[in-house]
Amino acid sequence: MAIALSGQDPIALSYSTWHELWKECRQQARSVDPEDEGDRLAKCPPQLATGYKRDITLRNGIDLTLHRYELQGDLMITQVQPTESECLEFVFNLSSTFRYWTGANLASGQYCVQGVFNPASTEGFAHFAQEPTLEVDIHLEPEVLRSLFGMDTDSQRDRRFDLMSSELKRLLAGDPEVFLSPIQDITPTMQVALQQILNCPYHGVVKQLYLESKSIEVLALWLEQALSGTSTSEPSMSALRSDEVDRIYQAKEILIQQMHNPPSLIALARQVGLNDCTLKRKFRQVFGTTVFGYLHHHRMEQARSLLLDQHQLTVTAIAHQVGYNNLCAFSTAFRKKFGMSPREMRS
């Protein structure tokens, strides 16, 4: 089935080639939390993208993959091969566009549930390079999901499954003929929990507890939607209007664009049409942290990415690039965030 791609000629790969490239990158992955060996960062294959995927194994049977990267060009994956895995993958696409050969479109701000029982049924997919990829994937086996939500007994399982769409029921039951659930919009409440996962400030056992709880929160919100049959446009965050969400995201973009010389809180609030008290309160509600806590996290993530990907840059140059004029202050902040110095991270 033909798919219209944007811009220049796309990068075309078979599924096996794409899988091997990522397998090699993951074999070279680095630990990013000295207190957690199950938290590893794999840089993207350089011929495909810049950035990384971060794999985090949690103790409750859930695995996370956090995607932050920019494709070199549109990517087409063909000749998808079956897999023996019986894992469910919840794909929360916060920024990028996918199109499956089946005709399904996964746009920015949408999510789906994928069954990795037999992906050959999809034939392939295209991943567009229109915007940087920001994505949270939650992986778990169907029996883990059923156990989390008390779907173990026949009476509970039958009653709850009957409320779901036919595709979703078959997907959760492990039907190899079903690969993709109906695509739905990420609700504002889901968005908050997903951003908190992406911006988790903790390490070690505290990080594990935090991410376990946030992953279950996202799954609970999905289950509520699946059982109630709510529409994709359902408003779900009390006391936060859609126009306020837009203003908060506008404030976030201004912070990122001006991280070398960020505006004051009052100036930022004026730029997005809010007062400073409202901005502080609503920003924490959406992103789970303060305005400048978010800016600090973004600076540190940018610094880590540059240390891993841009070896020609000195640590001093990277400090300046993320808005630090004082190398000592940058090194102290980086060590506090990641538990190691910038030079240790690079080596």
Side-chain angles (χ1 to χ4, degrees):
M1 179 177 179
I3 290 183
L5 294 161
S6 60
Q8 60 189 22
D9 291 340
I11 303 168
L13 295 174
S14 69
Y15 178 83
S16 59
T17 301
W18 176 78
H19 179 74
E20 285 300 318
L21 284 171
W22 269 113
K23 182 179 178 181
E24 182 179 342
C25 290
R26 280 187 159 110
Q27 288 172 345
Q28 300 172 3
R30 303 183 183 197
S31 174
V32 293
D33 183 348
E35 300 175 37
D36 185 0
E37 282 299 315
D39 183 353
R40 301 187 67 79
L41 183 145
K43 292 197 295 183
C44 294
Q47 60 270 58
L48 299 183
T50 58
Y52 62 83
K53 290 186 181 184
R54 182 179 174 187
D55 297 313
I56 307 173
T57 300
L58 303 179
R59 302 167 303 175
N60 58 356
I62 294 175
D63 293 333
L64 297 175
T65 299
L66 313 182
H67 303 243
R68 289 182 186 267
Y69 57 84
E70 294 188 38
L71 290 172
Q72 306 285 10
D74 292 339
L75 182 64
M76 284 199 310
I77 304 298
T78 60
Q79 303 171 22
V80 179
Q81 299 298 315
T83 178
E84 295 181 359
S85 171
E86 293 188 355
C87 177
L88 291 173
E89 181 178 48
F90 290 75
V91 178
F92 294 91
N93 180 27
L94 299 170
S95 175
S96 61
T97 302
F98 294 87
R99 187 171 299 166
Y100 296 93
W101 258 241
T102 55
N105 237 356
L106 183 64
S108 177
Q110 295 183 322
Y111 76 93
C112 66
V113 186
Q114 297 184 162
V116 197
F117 302 96
N118 184 8
S121 61
T122 68
E123 298 181 14
F125 61 89
H127 185 181
F128 296 95
Q130 297 166 342
E131 54 187 335
T133 294
L134 186 63
E135 180 184 314
V136 175
D137 295 347
I138 300 177
H139 306 91
L140 72 168
E141 295 182 357
E143 56 266 31
V144 174
L145 181 69
R146 293 194 290 266
S147 177
L148 282 172
F149 295 115
M151 295 181 176
D152 294 313
T153 67
D154 290 339
S155 60
Q156 288 177 316
R157 173 172 171 169
D158 289 344
R159 177 169 55 82
R160 296 183 187 190
F161 274 41
D162 284 345
L163 294 173
M164 297 180 180
S165 68
S166 59
E167 295 99 332
L168 195 51
K169 281 192 290 186
R170 293 168 61 197
L171 187 67
L172 297 182
D175 189 335
E177 297 300 319
V178 181
F179 173 65
L180 195 68
S181 76
I183 290 172
Q184 293 191 281
D185 290 343
I186 296 171
T187 66
T189 312
M190 287 179 178
Q191 181 79 250
V192 172
L194 292 167
Q195 289 290 346
Q196 289 170 339
I197 288 172
L198 283 165
N199 298 304
C200 174
Y202 306 115
H203 300 280
V205 67
V206 178
K207 179 195 69 187
Q208 282 277 332
L209 289 169
Y210 183 85
L211 292 178
E212 286 166 10
S213 67
K214 290 300 170 183
S215 299
I216 292 174
E217 180 181 343
V218 172
L219 292 172
L221 293 168
W222 160 80
L223 182 64
E224 179 187 31
Q225 196 175 55
L227 294 178
S228 64
T230 52
S231 68
T232 59
S233 60
E234 169 200 7
S236 57
M237 186 186 295
S238 61
L240 190 59
R241 304 188 310 269
S242 60
D243 65 311
E244 290 177 326
V245 175
D246 291 340
R247 292 173 192 270
I248 296 303
Y249 274 88
Q250 183 185 355
K252 181 205 76 169
E253 291 302 319
I254 292 171
L255 279 177
I256 291 173
Q257 292 166 8
Q258 301 180 25
M259 70 174 176
H260 304 92
N261 186 25
S264 68
L265 188 66
I266 293 176
L268 180 62
R270 286 174 178 167
Q271 287 184 60
V272 300
L274 297 171
N275 65 55
D276 57 321
C277 291
T278 301
L279 176 62
K280 285 194 295 185
R281 186 175 71 256
K282 302 295 185 180
F283 197 98
R284 181 182 283 278
Q285 189 175 357
V286 171
F287 293 109
T289 186
T290 65
V291 172
F292 291 103
Y294 184 93
L295 175 62
H296 173 72
H297 178 84
H298 178 75
R299 281 171 161 170
M300 293 296 99
E301 286 289 339
Q302 286 292 107
R304 176 168 66 175
S305 180
L306 290 169
L307 285 164
L308 294 173
D309 293 336
Q310 305 294 331
H311 289 278
Q312 74 277 12
L313 294 177
T314 65
V315 174
T316 300
I318 290 172
H320 290 162
Q321 197 158 326
V322 298
Y324 280 84
N325 294 321
N326 185 300
L327 179 60
C328 182
F330 168 69
S331 297
T332 299
F334 193 92
R335 181 181 287 278
K336 185 175 180 180
K337 176 71 173 175
F338 297 112
M340 62 182 73
S341 72
R343 287 183 173 83
E344 288 171 334
M345 173 68 75
R346 169 164 279 176
S347 63

